[in-house]
Amino acid sequence: MNRRHFAFAATALAALSFSSLSLAADELRVMVHSSFALPKPLLADFEKQAGVKLALIKGGDAGEMLNKLILTRANPVADVVYGIDNTLQAKAHAAGVLEGALQPVDYGYVTLNFDKTAMAKNGLALPTTLQQLTQPAYKAALVMPNPATSSTGYAFLLATIAGLGEEPAFKWWGQMRANGLKVAKGWSEAYYTDFTRGGGAQPMVVSYATSPAAEVFYATEKRTQSPTGSLTLKGGVFKQTEGVALLKGGGQRAAALKFIDFMRSGPVQQALQTEMWMYPVLPGTPRAPVMQHATEPTQFETLPVQTMADKGSQWVARWTQVVLK
């Protein structure tokens, strides 16, 4: 998973290359981000009910996936897409790749995670504001994915702008650079290489509010508590909502509509919690027991989808200049 799938829980579903795509009459081509995973029996049941064979096309990170859809819009490589989120929604509609509205499927929160043991060992108190992270005590304590190459890092950048304001946010980023902020290319590198839980030096990482629950779920030994926790700081939590939609010019419309309903059905809403580590949008869906270790933030940041579309690339470019150059 580039954002949520822990390495030891990689999906068994094979990604199909564009060159190997079949155009069989009974095939439904579904473009998904690389974090997509659902139990095989659920997917098989959908195929039986819809009378189609699923061709799951892994498109990479959500942003990379959308770019592929834009480049191939004249000759769509899929019929339906899952995994475009609210940070990319306006861009997808403006590019004309979607037919109809994006139907919400799940949501999650990008936030700061911390290693409980490492924080205690380093004598670090849990920060109560982002500004505290600029203090000498927290020098080189945080690693984050690059917003230019990671949707997780991009969401965290948006959180700081939404919560602090644009100018104060970029002042904070400059202070974080001076205080030893480490930047990784993607979520996996940040979490598994640089974060202390992966053997690295940084006891704090930009990840997801559900990551502590995943630590418990995939532990080789039985755990009653997670070794990590998440923080809810002003300007430090961003709510992502992922959706599913028809692709303009795609085929298999009837089956594609059934797939949209399938992703919003009870069994899928239940399963995605411990497969993709997101929260279900369907009201009344029971929470997986392990989710007791994932504290759902009550305070978080969002931005209008059009604002993200209009200013997102400018903000990433400015962040790159402030933090990396």
Side-chain angles (χ1 to χ4, degrees), residues 49-178:
Q49 296 297 325
V52 294
K53 181 70 176 177
L54 280 173
L56 297 174
I57 309 163
K58 292 292 183 76
D61 184 88
E64 180 184 0
M65 178 180 70
L66 177 56
N67 287 337
K68 288 178 179 178
L69 292 175
I70 293 172
L71 290 172
T72 58
R73 61 189 163 189
N75 186 24
V77 296
D79 308 309
V80 62
V81 60
Y82 160 76
I84 292 176
D85 66 17
N86 52 320
T87 69
L88 299 169
Q89 181 178 343
K91 180 180 179 180
H93 281 294
V97 299
L98 302 183
E99 180 181 333
L102 193 68
Q103 300 297 319
V105 171
D106 54 59
Y107 66 95
Y109 303 90
V110 172
T111 186
L112 295 174
N113 280 212
F114 60 92
D115 180 338
K116 295 176 181 178
T117 299
M119 292 289 283
K121 182 178 179 180
N122 293 335
L124 292 176
L126 294 181
T128 57
T129 67
L130 287 180
Q131 194 60 37
Q132 281 183 256
L133 295 177
T134 67
Q135 298 174 359
Y138 295 92
K139 188 173 182 63
L142 176 64
V143 59
M144 69 168 292
N146 190 331
T149 53
S150 165
S151 59
T152 311
Y154 179 53
F156 190 73
L157 168 60
L158 293 175
T160 63
I161 293 170
L164 304 179
E166 184 172 350
E167 294 308 317
F170 281 103
K171 178 180 179 181
W172 180 82
W173 283 112
Q175 293 172 325
M176 288 298 293
R177 172 181 177 163

Side-chain angles (χ1 to χ4, degrees), residues 4 9 20 60-61 65 70 77 105 108 118 120 122 125 176 181 211 238 261 277 298 309 312:
R4 296 179 297 279
S20 67
D61 184 88
M65 178 180 70
I70 293 172
V77 296
V105 171
N122 293 335
M176 288 298 293
L181 172 69
S211 295
F238 190 85
D261 291 339
W277 297 100
T298 56

Side-chain angles (χ1 to χ4, degrees), residues 36-324:
F36 178 85
L38 286 175
K40 286 184 176 181
L42 269 182
L43 297 173
D45 185 60
F46 170 79
E47 290 179 321
K48 181 179 179 181
Q49 296 297 325
V52 294
K53 181 70 176 177
L54 280 173
L56 297 174
I57 309 163
K58 292 292 183 76
D61 184 88
E64 180 184 0
M65 178 180 70
L66 177 56
N67 287 337
K68 288 178 179 178
L69 292 175
I70 293 172
L71 290 172
T72 58
R73 61 189 163 189
N75 186 24
V77 296
D79 308 309
V80 62
V81 60
Y82 160 76
I84 292 176
D85 66 17
N86 52 320
T87 69
L88 299 169
Q89 181 178 343
K91 180 180 179 180
H93 281 294
V97 299
L98 302 183
E99 180 181 333
L102 193 68
Q103 300 297 319
V105 171
D106 54 59
Y107 66 95
Y109 303 90
V110 172
T111 186
L112 295 174
N113 280 212
F114 60 92
D115 180 338
K116 295 176 181 178
T117 299
M119 292 289 283
K121 182 178 179 180
N122 293 335
L124 292 176
L126 294 181
T128 57
T129 67
L130 287 180
Q131 194 60 37
Q132 281 183 256
L133 295 177
T134 67
Q135 298 174 359
Y138 295 92
K139 188 173 182 63
L142 176 64
V143 59
M144 69 168 292
N146 190 331
T149 53
S150 165
S151 59
T152 311
Y154 179 53
F156 190 73
L157 168 60
L158 293 175
T160 63
I161 293 170
L164 304 179
E166 184 172 350
E167 294 308 317
F170 281 103
K171 178 180 179 181
W172 180 82
W173 283 112
Q175 293 172 325
M176 288 298 293
R177 172 181 177 163
N179 208 36
L181 172 69
K182 186 172 181 61
V183 179
K185 180 179 180 180
W187 177 89
S188 294
E189 181 183 352
Y191 202 96
Y192 291 118
T193 301
D194 299 311
F195 188 36
T196 47
R197 285 290 300 163
Q202 277 68 37
M204 302 181 69
V205 62
V206 172
S207 190
Y208 279 76
T210 52
S211 295
E215 288 276 0
V216 174
F217 188 83
Y218 293 121
T220 55
E221 73 282 0
K222 184 176 178 59
R223 285 177 174 161
T224 58
Q225 292 187 345
S226 178
T228 65
S230 64
L231 298 174
T232 302
L233 305 182
K234 177 65 175 176
V237 185
F238 190 85
K239 184 177 181 179
Q240 282 184 317
T241 302
E242 296 180 322
V244 61
L246 297 175
L247 285 171
K248 190 172 293 185
Q252 294 283 16
R253 182 180 178 86
L257 288 171
K258 289 180 180 179
F259 185 80
I260 291 175
D261 291 339
F262 168 71
M263 290 300 294
R264 290 167 53 81
S265 67
V268 170
Q269 293 284 292
Q270 184 82 41
L272 63 79
Q273 297 175 62
T274 55
E275 294 284 347
M276 294 187 280
W277 297 100
M278 298 291 274
Y279 294 99
V281 298
L282 190 68
T285 303
R287 289 291 170 88
V290 75
M291 283 296 197
Q292 67 180 298
H293 300 286
T295 302
E296 184 171 353
T298 56
Q299 298 180 349
F300 51 84
E301 311 299 343
T302 58
L303 284 167
V305 293
Q306 194 58 51
T307 299
M308 291 185 281
D310 293 341
K311 296 187 175 181
S313 60
Q314 300 171 34
W315 286 335
V316 170
R318 185 176 179 183
W319 180 93
T320 301
Q321 188 68 36
V322 169
V323 176
L324 299 182

